[in-house]
Amino acid sequence: MIAVLKPSATDEQKNHLISWLKSQSLDVHVSQGENYTVLGLIGDTGIIDVDLLESLEMVESVKRVSEPFKQVNRKFHPEDTVVEIGGKVKIGGGNFVLIAGPCSVESRGQVAQIAREVSAAGADVLRGGAFKPRTSPYDFQGLKADGIELLLEAKKETGMPIISEIMNANHLPLFDDVDIIQIGARNMQNFELLKEVGKTDKPILLKRGLANTLKELLMSAEYIMSEGNRNVILCERGIRTFETATRNTLDLSAVPMLREMTHLPVVIDPSHATGIARLVEPMAMAAAASGADGIMVEVHNDPIHALCDGAQSLTPSQFEKVASKVRLIREVALQ
Ligand code: PEP
Ligand code: MN
């Protein structure tokens, strides 16, 4: 349920109402807009008399939120959420972020070189997988803790915040200095993992599952937020359809749809969505035009010899071109 308070409501009135609602065993989420204050009520709201609440002088309107996702709901928090990354980068609410780097961290030299080059090309955040969720157990599984160390070295050298995927909550201590924790598509509904990252205050990039609806994606984000972590970023990375020409099918309509459904920032990953390096540029541009808050692209200094996802990886110079085109498109799209 949400209660919208009038601009004339005083702080004293607001606090009084909030403590009464809390005394009814409800969780109250306050979203302060420029004029109106929105109170999001979570719990057994059946006990609240809507007419009574609406009759209070300070209350503008009361609505039941029928969707099962509450805290991620745009109705609960009408303004865009802005997530701060590593104290220097922001995403959401008009702040656009380019994330780039290898699918997997392979060696010190590899990640250091890619980090320098994507940074020079205008990337804001460095990506790199250390724990890799591979379809085959015989494929390269990532450098694990050593991979995180190498990413941290690259962060130190370039000053770029870093993002890496977690697969097991026991690994959380390794991610202390990682700026964004990625939950991969395959773990989108690993609810225990979602709850554990929800107990941290780190930005979490939650990727949409291979065959999950937007509602399911939002319910997974709700798991993270319900534990107290409000720094959630959503990522559309292609879904599985009957089409086999591309690795997945990029559901770009997810961007404007999610914009209506939620206040959380939305990132597009055209690399995993298409699986083909030459399709990354057009889809990255389309993503920028659709209003995405960020784009995440796989970049490798030697794609042919990459240990993972070389076919969809751009070289640093290809990325530089994509980055400048994406920024141009964004300027046009914002007009
Ligand atoms: C990745 O980002 O490297 C990755 C494994 O992505 P996804 O979970 O979307 O497949
Ligand atoms: Mn990959």
Side-chain angles (χ1 to χ4, degrees):
M1 180 184 281
I2 56 162
V4 182
L5 307 188
K6 288 181 184 159
S8 58
T10 65
D11 283 347
E12 200 189 340
Q13 284 176 317
K14 286 183 204 171
N15 291 338
H16 193 244
L17 179 61
I18 291 169
S19 35
W20 178 74
L21 289 164
K22 285 186 174 165
S23 74
Q24 304 297 301
S25 302
L26 295 174
D27 246 354
V28 184
H29 291 258
V30 185
S31 171
Q32 185 64 59
E34 250 178 58
N35 293 313
Y36 292 93
T37 306
V38 178
L39 302 184
L41 313 182
I42 298 186
D44 181 10
T45 53
I47 55 167
I48 298 291
D49 180 340
V50 175
D51 293 334
L52 180 75
L53 195 55
E54 219 159 25
S55 71
L56 298 178
E57 195 215 303
M58 77 188 101
V59 175
E60 170 89 19
S61 61
V62 178
K63 255 190 276 171
R64 290 209 181 270
V65 175
S66 50
E67 295 90 350
F69 48 92
K70 309 290 182 194
Q71 300 194 47
V72 308
N73 204 310
R74 173 72 77 180
K75 289 177 190 154
F76 257 55
H77 190 285
E79 271 153 49
D80 290 347
T81 280
V82 178
V83 176
E84 282 213 24
I85 302 163
K88 47 164 52 168
V89 176
K90 285 184 182 155
I91 183 166
N95 302 287
F96 183 79
V97 164
L98 271 176
I99 306 171
C103 178
S104 315
V105 176
E106 297 173 7
S107 69
R108 175 175 283 118
Q110 175 241 22
V111 72
Q113 186 188 341
I114 296 171
R116 275 194 294 274
E117 297 194 274
V118 296
S119 173
D124 306 290
V125 178
L126 174 68
R127 66 152 283 150
F131 295 91
K132 294 304 303 175
R134 303 304 300 277
T135 301
S136 166
Y138 308 116
D139 285 342
F140 176 59
Q141 303 285 307
L143 295 182
K144 307 187 172 75
D146 292 342
I148 300 280
E149 277 308 311
L150 297 179
L151 267 179
L152 289 171
E153 283 180 21
K155 168 179 170 173
K156 208 165 162 190
E157 194 195 317
T158 59
M160 294 175 95
I162 54 173
I163 173 170
S164 201
E165 176 168 352
I166 195 166
M167 298 213 292
N168 185 328
N170 293 333
H171 296 152
L172 264 172
L174 294 172
F175 286 72
D176 273 352
D177 297 318
V178 172
D179 302 284
I180 309 176
I181 297 180
Q182 174 172 318
I183 302 286
R186 290 153 191 83
N187 272 316
M188 189 202 88
Q189 287 189 314
N190 182 339
F191 301 118
E192 291 306 315
L193 183 58
L194 298 178
K195 283 192 249 178
E196 290 307 313
V197 298
K199 290 177 188 146
T200 75
D201 58 2
K202 280 214 181 284
I204 308 295
L205 182 119
L206 176 65
K207 294 187 111 180
R208 180 180 182 180
L210 278 68
N212 286 110
T213 63
L214 295 181
K215 186 171 159 189
E216 287 163 341
L217 172 65
L218 292 177
M219 290 310 295
S220 290
E222 187 82 11
Y223 262 94
I224 300 171
M225 288 192 79
S226 68
E227 295 293 335
N229 189 345
R230 296 176 169 218
N231 301 311
V232 182
I233 304 161
L234 304 171
C235 178
E236 156 64 28
R237 44 76 74 204
I239 49 175
R240 185 162 286 183
T241 66
F242 52 80
E243 183 54 72
T244 54
T246 47
R247 183 176 181 184
N248 290 292
T249 298
L250 180 56
D251 176 13
L252 259 194
S253 55
V255 177
M257 194 70 245
L258 286 170
R259 179 82 60 230
E260 287 180 16
M261 298 165 90
T262 180
H263 49 87
L264 297 173
V266 180
V267 164
I268 291 292
D269 171 350
S271 306
H272 292 89
T274 61
I276 301 169
R278 65 179 185 282
L279 299 191
V280 169
E281 178 178 306
M283 297 326 287
M285 291 200 297
S290 74
D293 300 290
I295 291 168
M296 179 157 82
V297 176
E298 285 188 342
V299 178
H300 200 285
N301 53 341
D302 186 7
I304 295 167
H305 296 108
L307 296 181
C308 184
D309 287 349
Q312 66 194 33
S313 297
L314 302 183
T315 60
S317 61
Q318 287 169 331
F319 171 71
E320 187 177 5
K321 196 170 137 237
V322 172
S324 57
K325 284 197 177 183
V326 157
R327 295 214 187 266
L328 277 177
I329 296 266
R330 224 186 107 70
E331 275 175 36
V332 175
L334 284 181
Q335 281 170 11

